[in-house]
Amino acid sequence: MKRALIVVEGQTEERFVKTVLRQVLEPIGVDIRPTIVATKVVKDGANFKGGLRSFGQFREHLRRVLQGSGGALVTSMIDYYALPADFPGMVSRPLGGTPRQRVEHVERELRIAIGQQNFLPFIALHEYEAWLFSDSVTIPGVLTEPHKQGAFAAIADAMAPEDINEGPATAPSKRLQAMFPLYRKGLHGPLAAERIGIPAMRAKCPHFDGWLLQLEHYATA
């Protein structure tokens, strides 16, 4: 069994790794362990965790994870939406490129900036909630609002989930909150993701699929 550490932004992503991602990676020999970015390190006592405010904060947490990794693979699962502007590659993103081209540019620059062979950067397009648009039935069911399925399907079927843009009112999470005021990321997000399943997400989200392909390759390398 190979070990892999995933740096995530918060408890929702941590739960996704433990309850959804682990189901597909453990059977192929990858012991996957999430670690939440620390927002404040306290010398005596528990650290404050959750939220990504700057590249420096991310880099410091990642440095500690890499130091304790023992050479195991270290990867990330952070959102492209609202990614701090000081992240490597953000100011040099290709103008007019597709969302995937832009995020892959940032990932390449991030890998160069970190400079560790066992670090595999992954930045979700555009955020975790995009994957919940891989299925047009599950979210209305989880929120017990089946009468909104048609409106939700109009969005989910109109474009690939990873192409839903990152505008402050049109990002995947903002669309969910506008349509389903009772939506709570920590409660409904992992539940919906588990019901949708990784195969459906991979089929609709090629950038996410590409990351999982690399994790699968790590299992057999």
Side-chain angles (χ1 to χ4, degrees):
M1 182 77 73
K2 289 189 174 181
R3 191 163 58 102
L5 307 173
I6 300 187
V7 176
V8 299
E9 287 191 53
Q11 293 180 342
T12 301
E13 292 81 4
E14 179 188 44
R15 184 178 168 192
F16 172 80
V17 171
K18 288 181 175 180
T19 62
V20 183
L21 209 53
R22 185 171 282 168
Q23 293 180 15
V24 299
L25 292 176
E26 276 196 347
I28 63 171
V30 178
D31 175 17
I32 196 160
R33 305 180 187 183
T35 169
I36 303 175
V37 173
T39 56
K40 182 179 180 182
V41 178
V42 181
K43 185 175 182 180
D44 297 311
N47 295 335
F48 294 89
K49 296 182 177 181
L52 195 57
R53 295 197 296 261
S54 70
F55 173 60
Q57 170 208 0
F58 174 83
R59 180 178 55 197
E60 178 59 24
H61 182 84
L62 181 63
R63 181 187 63 80
R64 292 194 298 271
V65 174
L66 285 165
Q67 284 181 342
S69 68
L73 180 71
V74 177
T75 187
S76 59
M77 194 182 88
I78 58 178
D79 292 342
Y80 183 55
Y81 173 63
L83 189 69
D86 63 344
F87 260 69
M90 287 294 283
V91 298
S92 58
R93 287 173 291 177
L95 296 176
T98 66
R100 187 173 181 183
Q101 288 171 336
R102 291 194 293 271
V103 79
E104 287 180 347
H105 170 80
V106 176
E107 288 173 341
R108 285 192 297 270
E109 293 300 311
L110 177 57
R111 187 165 201 168
I112 292 170
I114 299 302
Q116 295 288 331
Q117 289 295 319
N118 62 323
F119 174 56
L120 172 65
F122 172 68
I123 303 173
L125 265 179
H126 284 90
E127 55 181 338
Y128 167 81
E129 278 88 350
W131 304 333
L132 306 184
F133 285 80
S134 299
D135 176 288
S136 61
V137 176
T138 300
I139 278 288
V142 167
L143 273 298
T144 62
E145 296 191 71
H147 59 284
K148 294 184 178 179
Q149 182 182 332
F152 184 75
I155 300 173
D157 297 340
M159 65 186 81
E162 292 179 332
D163 288 339
I164 299 175
N165 68 43
E166 72 267 39
T170 55
S173 60
K174 303 304 181 184
R175 293 177 188 249
L176 283 175
Q177 290 163 358
M179 187 173 294
F180 304 100
L182 295 179
Y183 172 76
R184 298 294 180 268
K185 179 177 180 177
L187 173 63
H188 302 111
L191 179 60
E194 191 168 7
R195 292 187 184 180
I196 292 168
I198 293 294
M201 294 180 190
R202 296 184 74 163
K204 291 289 187 72
C205 304
H207 186 58
F208 176 62
D209 178 57
W211 178 51
L212 292 184
L213 286 172
Q214 292 181 81
L215 293 177
E216 290 168 347
H217 176 73
Y218 170 68
T220 58

